[in-house]
Amino acid sequence: MDRLSNTVRPYAWGSTTAIPELLGLAPTGEPQAEMWMGAHPGAPSRLTRAAGTGEVGPEQPLTDVIAADPERELGRATVEKFGPRLPFLLKLLAAGAPLSLQVHPDLAQAKQGYEDEVRRSVPIDAPHRTYKDANHKPELICALTPFAGLCGFRRPTEAAEAMAALGVDSLKPYVDLLGAHPEEAALREVLTAILSADPTEMAETVNLAAAAAERLGGAHAPYARIAHHFPGDPGVIAAMLLNYVELQPGEALFLGAGVPHAYLDGLGVEIMANSDNVLRCGLTPKHIDVPELLRIVRFEATDPGVLRPEASPSGEELYETPVEEFRLSRFDLSPGAAPVDLTRGTPQILLCTGGAPKAGELGLTPGASVFVPSGEEVEVSGTGTLFRATVVA
């Protein structure tokens, strides 16, 4: 078992205070958006492992540790199923402003899109490149604080009512489309129209809609806040097609393929398949590939499906999802309780988010994490909250 050193990514939308407060550090004034735990090549966790002689070796990336002996670190079953790499990435995510409105492909779409861009010799770092790899990117976000987001399409009639209430004439064609077509066709037609509109005309519509949303307040207030960060962005109007969700601590959202979503505000634990494939729909200056986006998006109204963990006799509270690349659970450890055996034939990352629990002999504080190789014996004890990230056995 190895204590991890992790990189904090300073994306512009990040909170300046949430991650430092959890870690017990003074804010720097700069945004601190995500702390990555895992073996993503862009910012792998680092560890210092004692050699067989007992001497402590140099710090090394988790990617190198896994590459040196994948079966020892990940277990044979994980390597056979996912290859010689850690198939998930765990994060602390702290949103101080809205992230881009986005969607992820399924596995077949990712493979097809990646192979197509390779065939067309699109550079991997090109700003208009859509597929960075051939993997899908299902993800789950679990709130540590009240957490706001957008998740999946709401009923077209509900979106139409929200737009109509703003009293903006240039929104009326969208309102009419949402009321006149079957559900799937209505959502597809309106999102296409929003993303294809003349930028100058759309910017004026967004600004008028934002002013009206601010006057109305209530259910319209989130759109005014989004527009404050992205004035004139068509994603502000696209956001009105989606379910607005407020999670309480311990609640979670699962984002499967084709589901448009955006995180708006709050601190959470996020886990995802280890992929960089993101198709953006708005709230961003980055490239939006409208034709490919329309191929990927699932145009159906859905309940956002807030997840609450299911408890087991061992005290493990599991967030059930339909994917095999990751499995996220939580332990609330009580004073005086017996140690809990977490030994498992899969790789694990344990993350402390509160209190002062112990993993084996390692004492943990909020924000601290450890990597547990497949099959290595580990017990957790003490008082506090631990998240456990692993793969489906």
Side-chain angles (χ1 to χ4, degrees):
M1 178 168 47
D2 307 282
R3 191 184 297 274
L4 295 177
S5 297
N6 304 303
T7 298
V8 175
R9 310 305 295 262
Y11 303 134
W13 49 262
S15 167
T16 59
T17 59
I19 289 179
E21 285 177 0
L22 182 70
L23 300 180
L25 301 175
T28 64
E30 298 297 317
Q32 298 189 35
E34 297 180 347
M35 186 175 80
W36 288 17
M37 291 157 280
H40 189 288
S45 298
R46 302 169 303 283
L47 56 86
T48 303
R49 178 174 290 180
T53 60
E55 297 181 0
V56 176
E59 188 175 68
Q60 54 188 319
L62 183 55
T63 44
D64 291 355
V65 172
I66 292 172
D69 194 343
E71 286 199 8
R72 178 184 183 278
E73 305 298 335
L74 305 178
R76 178 174 295 179
T78 299
V79 173
E80 289 178 350
K81 185 180 292 186
F82 302 109
R85 62 188 182 88
L86 190 67
F88 64 82
L89 176 64
L90 185 67
K91 299 179 181 180
L92 280 173
L93 184 147
L99 282 68
S100 63
L101 191 60
Q102 58 188 253
V103 69
H104 306 304
D106 64 26
L107 191 55
Q109 292 166 337
K111 288 180 177 178
Q112 180 182 350
Y114 180 77
E115 290 170 0
D116 175 65
E117 289 188 318
V118 169
R119 186 168 53 252
R120 292 189 287 116
S121 301
V122 180
I124 195 70
D125 58 350
H128 62 284
R129 173 96 185 208
T130 298
Y131 294 95
K132 307 297 186 183
D133 52 68
N135 199 17
H136 63 165
K137 192 185 177 185
E139 61 189 41
L140 180 143
I141 184 80
C142 177
L144 295 178
T145 67
F147 193 98
L150 303 168
C151 179
F153 289 110
R154 57 179 169 175
R155 293 285 178 192
T157 52
E158 295 174 4
E161 289 172 3
M163 288 186 186
L166 296 173
V168 176
D169 288 344
S170 51
L171 289 177
K172 191 174 185 304
Y174 304 144
V175 173
D176 292 342
L177 285 172
L178 288 168
H181 287 44
E183 183 176 280
E184 180 179 340
L187 293 170
R188 177 182 290 275
E189 214 166 321
V190 171
L191 183 62
T192 303
I194 290 169
L195 297 180
S196 304
D198 176 85
T200 302
E201 294 177 1
M202 176 53 71
E204 183 178 356
T205 296
V206 171
N207 293 335
L208 291 171
E214 189 166 7
R215 289 194 303 271
L216 289 172
H220 287 84
Y223 308 109
R225 293 197 299 271
I226 293 170
H228 173 75
H229 293 283
F230 296 95
D233 192 300
V236 176
I237 306 302
M240 299 184 72
L241 300 173
L242 306 186
N243 295 297
Y244 174 73
V245 185
E246 290 184 343
L247 301 178
Q248 296 306 307
E251 295 180 333
L253 288 175
F254 172 72
L255 292 312
V259 177
H261 60 278
Y263 303 144
L264 304 180
D265 182 72
L267 175 67
V269 174
E270 185 181 38
I271 189 168
M272 60 184 62
N274 210 345
S275 170
D276 289 323
N277 286 327
V278 176
L279 287 92
R280 294 175 175 84
C281 322
L283 309 183
T284 178
K286 294 182 179 180
H287 175 66
I288 297 178
D289 184 343
V290 176
E292 186 66 8
L293 175 69
L294 297 175
R295 187 178 77 90
I296 298 302
V297 171
R298 288 172 48 196
F299 287 99
E300 59 183 35
T302 59
D303 185 295
V306 174
L307 296 178
R308 296 171 182 84
E310 298 182 13
S312 70
S314 68
E316 182 179 33
E317 298 180 325
L318 175 65
Y319 293 90
E320 290 279 6
T321 69
V323 299
E324 296 186 318
E325 283 86 351
F326 60 76
R327 179 184 187 274
L328 185 71
S329 58
R330 186 183 69 188
F331 294 84
D332 288 319
L333 304 172
S334 302
V340 181
D341 184 3
L342 299 190
T343 306
R344 186 178 173 90
T346 55
Q348 304 180 71
I349 292 178
L350 307 180
L351 166 67
C352 173
T353 58
K358 294 180 69 176
E361 297 302 315
L362 294 179
L364 302 178
T365 55
S369 59
V370 296
F371 174 70
V372 184
S374 170
E376 184 169 310
E377 294 184 3
V378 57
E379 285 187 339
V380 294
S381 59
T383 304
T385 301
L386 277 176
F387 281 83
R388 175 202 224 182
T390 185
V391 302
V392 175

